[in-house]
Amino acid sequence: MRNSLTDLDDAGVAAAAARAGADVVRDLYGRRLGRIDKGGGDFATEADVAAEKAILGVLRAARPDDAVLGEEGGRQGAAEAARQWLVDPLCGTLNYAVGSMLVAVNVALREGAAAVADPFSGDVFRTDGESAWVRGEGADRWDGGTGQWDGGTGQRGSGAGQRLIPTSASRLVDVNLDPPFPGAPGFRAVDLLARPAFAEHFRPRVVSTTLALAWVAAGKRAAYVTDGDDLSGSVHFAAGIALCRAAGCVVTGIDGAPVGQGGRGLVAAADAGTHRLLMTMVRSQE
């Protein structure tokens, strides 16, 4: 069964857009790609730009009246638009550039639906803002060649897929060690890892992509910690935050304040106990 993109609900649109970007990222993997210098050691590749173009194609077809904020292209669409999509076409560019498959494609409607695609596993994690689930490779897919949605599970109101159930059983905590460090010297992620209490309760991981946030929602990680300012409107973090919230994780800033309401940085934990332990360690640094 084929459906127009306009027939999809917002979660379906987010998933279709993220999958379109993921297809590009996967297809270009391993090629010699040009780099675009952003300054400060940061850069984009041709894959970042091409993936964002594919994502924008889906969003424009599905929601032509919405605005978009893209990591590479900036703000696009009507300035007065009531809705805005946040797009990070390739989170983990450095990983990707050196041949690591630990990357994510993030698409989020501000204060709404969101999706995170793993280009290499084929998983697409998504939320309608109330529940969160994952679909694997071969599930609902946008066919850019025909301009049609292929697969009956992406229709408006559909929630097909495996529900995300967070758990701290792995004891694995991903910590973002990338600069900048706005919380220093009060908070430094590297100091958190060095605390005896951290080693007693958790095992550190550094994935260097917000795919790790989707893994918290899916039960593959116990928590994720990053420094930063208000990340609620970040193209990098908005989709992962939405997934974690919908899955029932505990999500605050590193200062304990709600994200989007004064909270800075991010502590996303599978459960209240894990969050409480991490916050005790974070606060003891201040």
Side-chain angles (χ1 to χ4, degrees):
M1 179 178 181
R2 291 183 181 271
N3 305 284
S4 165
L5 275 172
T6 56
D7 292 333
L8 301 179
D9 61 11
D10 287 335
V13 171
R19 197 183 288 277
D23 287 345
V24 173
V25 170
R26 185 174 57 253
D27 290 347
L28 294 178
Y29 178 75
R31 300 188 189 183
R32 183 182 293 274
L33 300 173
R35 296 190 180 189
I36 303 161
D37 184 22
K38 293 183 174 183
D42 192 15
F43 65 91
T45 70
E46 295 172 17
D48 297 70
V49 176
E52 185 165 305
K53 182 178 179 180
I55 293 167
L56 290 175
V58 173
L59 295 179
R60 286 168 178 159
R63 300 291 188 268
D65 296 328
D66 291 355
V68 177
L69 175 60
E71 166 72 3
E72 309 308 331
R75 297 181 184 274
Q76 301 183 47
E80 67 277 9
R83 298 170 15 125
Q84 184 184 58
W85 293 87
L86 305 172
V87 174
D88 184 358
L90 178 48
C91 185
T93 298
L94 182 56
N95 283 354
Y96 185 80
V98 299
S100 170
M101 294 182 178
L102 290 172
V103 301
V105 176
N106 299 321
V107 178
L109 178 63
R110 190 183 289 272
E111 300 181 1
V116 176
D118 179 340
F120 299 102
S121 73
D123 288 340
V124 178
F125 306 85
R126 60 176 167 173
T127 176
D128 58 5
E130 297 180 358
S131 59
W133 62 101
V134 61
R135 291 186 62 81
E137 186 67 39
D140 40 10
R141 176 180 294 277
W142 170 247
D143 186 338
T146 63
Q148 296 290 328
W149 181 253
D150 190 3
T153 59
Q155 298 178 52
R156 187 177 301 277
S158 172
Q162 181 179 349
R163 287 288 294 269
L164 298 184
I165 303 175
T167 172
S168 60
S170 72
R171 300 174 64 202
L172 302 178
V173 175
D174 254 293
V175 180
N176 181 13
L177 300 179
D178 291 339
F181 309 113
F187 171 79
R188 297 198 313 166
V190 67
D191 293 338
L192 176 65
L193 300 183
R195 295 191 64 80
F198 187 95
E200 179 183 352
H201 294 284
F202 304 113
R203 293 293 178 267
R205 290 295 183 272
V206 182
V207 172
S208 297
T209 169
T210 53
L211 180 62
L213 266 177
W215 288 352
V216 175
K220 297 181 178 182
R221 291 289 189 269
Y224 177 88
V225 181
T226 183
D227 197 355
D229 296 316
D230 179 4
L231 301 179
S232 60
S234 166
V235 296
H236 307 291
F237 292 95
I241 290 171
L243 280 174
C244 285
R245 282 174 166 167
C249 301
V250 180
V251 181
T252 70
I254 57 173
D255 53 1
V259 176
Q261 300 178 38
R264 56 184 180 84
L266 186 65
V267 178
D271 52 55
T274 299
H275 184 269
R276 184 167 52 251
L277 275 171
L278 286 169
M279 288 305 303
T280 298
M281 298 176 208
V282 168
R283 285 170 173 154
S284 67
Q285 292 184 239
E286 297 176 347

